[in-house]
Amino acid sequence: IILKQLLGYEVLGHGDVKLACMAAAWIGIKGSFISLLIAFLIAGSINFFQFCFNKKSLKEAVPFAPYLSVSTFLVWILGTDFIILLWNNL
């Protein structure tokens, strides 16, 4: 909602929101926040390099569901406590 007000257009689609809600039901609230953080970091890193090498333009839509799916799977397999422990050891 905040990014929609700042940018003037939808940032996340309804499918992304539904997938995030499903992930929260599956891996819990703490896991869903970790999953969203990982998804944003992965998507941001990959798309940054794609923008730098002129593979994408800044106005082109970025599908977020694949990143969210992969990060939810990682949190489910590794567990939230293990990921928090890894983050604290960095």
Side-chain angles (χ1 to χ4, degrees):
I1 294 172
I2 295 170
L3 286 175
K4 182 180 178 184
Q5 294 295 324
L6 289 174
L7 299 175
Y9 58 89
E10 284 287 334
V11 178
L12 288 177
H14 293 290
D16 297 329
V17 174
K18 290 177 186 177
L19 184 60
C21 289
M22 185 276 311
W26 187 19
I27 58 177
I29 297 296
K30 183 168 64 169
S32 98
F33 283 124
I34 294 170
S35 175
L36 281 171
L37 176 67
I38 293 171
F40 281 125
L41 291 174
I42 294 172
S45 301
I46 290 174
N47 287 305
F48 173 75
F49 287 113
Q50 286 179 341
F51 293 140
C52 287
F53 295 116
N54 295 326
K55 300 289 184 186
K56 284 191 176 190
S57 67
L58 288 175
K59 291 292 182 178
E60 191 174 343
V62 176
F64 189 63
Y67 304 113
L68 188 58
S69 299
V70 167
S71 65
T72 300
F73 183 72
L74 284 174
V75 170
W76 178 57
I77 294 296
L78 297 176
T80 57
D81 294 332
F82 181 73
I83 293 174
I84 292 172
L85 183 68
L86 282 176
W87 183 263
N88 288 336
N89 287 335
L90 289 180

